[in-house]
Amino acid sequence: HNRDAVFLEDLCPKLRDRRWRKSLHEYTGKSCIYCGKNSESIDHVLPRSKGGLSITENCVPAASHVMEAKQTM
């Protein structure tokens, strides 16, 4: 029965998070949406410190140098 199925992602939320992050990077061809270089990080458009959520609509792939620059602003 489908109701009785246990999915690996339900037992290990980090696996779901990894797949979600990977899908964001793959959607843009592993390119930073700000500069076009290789994306190594995920940026929250509305920062979590200001109430932004870790959801697809608020997260974009970003290069590490872009993230560093944003942190010093």
Side-chain angles (χ1 to χ4, degrees):
H1 302 142
N2 286 338
R3 293 187 327 202
D4 299 331
V6 175
F7 297 97
L8 185 58
E9 291 179 346
D10 294 332
L11 298 174
C12 183
K14 286 187 176 188
L15 179 61
R16 182 176 353 164
D17 183 54
R18 251 183 293 174
R19 287 183 179 164
W20 172 74
R21 292 173 69 85
K22 183 179 177 184
S23 71
L24 283 178
H25 286 291
E26 288 175 351
Y27 182 74
T28 62
K30 299 181 182 176
S31 296
C32 172
I33 63 126
Y34 301 113
C35 70
K37 293 185 179 179
N38 191 37
S39 62
E40 305 96 359
S41 188
I42 299 290
D43 180 36
H44 289 79
V45 177
L46 177 62
R48 290 175 28 188
S49 63
K50 295 183 179 177
L53 301 174
S54 293
I55 58 175
T56 302
E57 293 83 359
N58 189 46
C59 295
V60 294
S64 58
H65 73 275
V66 171
M67 297 299 293
E68 290 172 13
K70 286 183 73 171
Q71 289 176 354
T72 61
M73 292 180 160

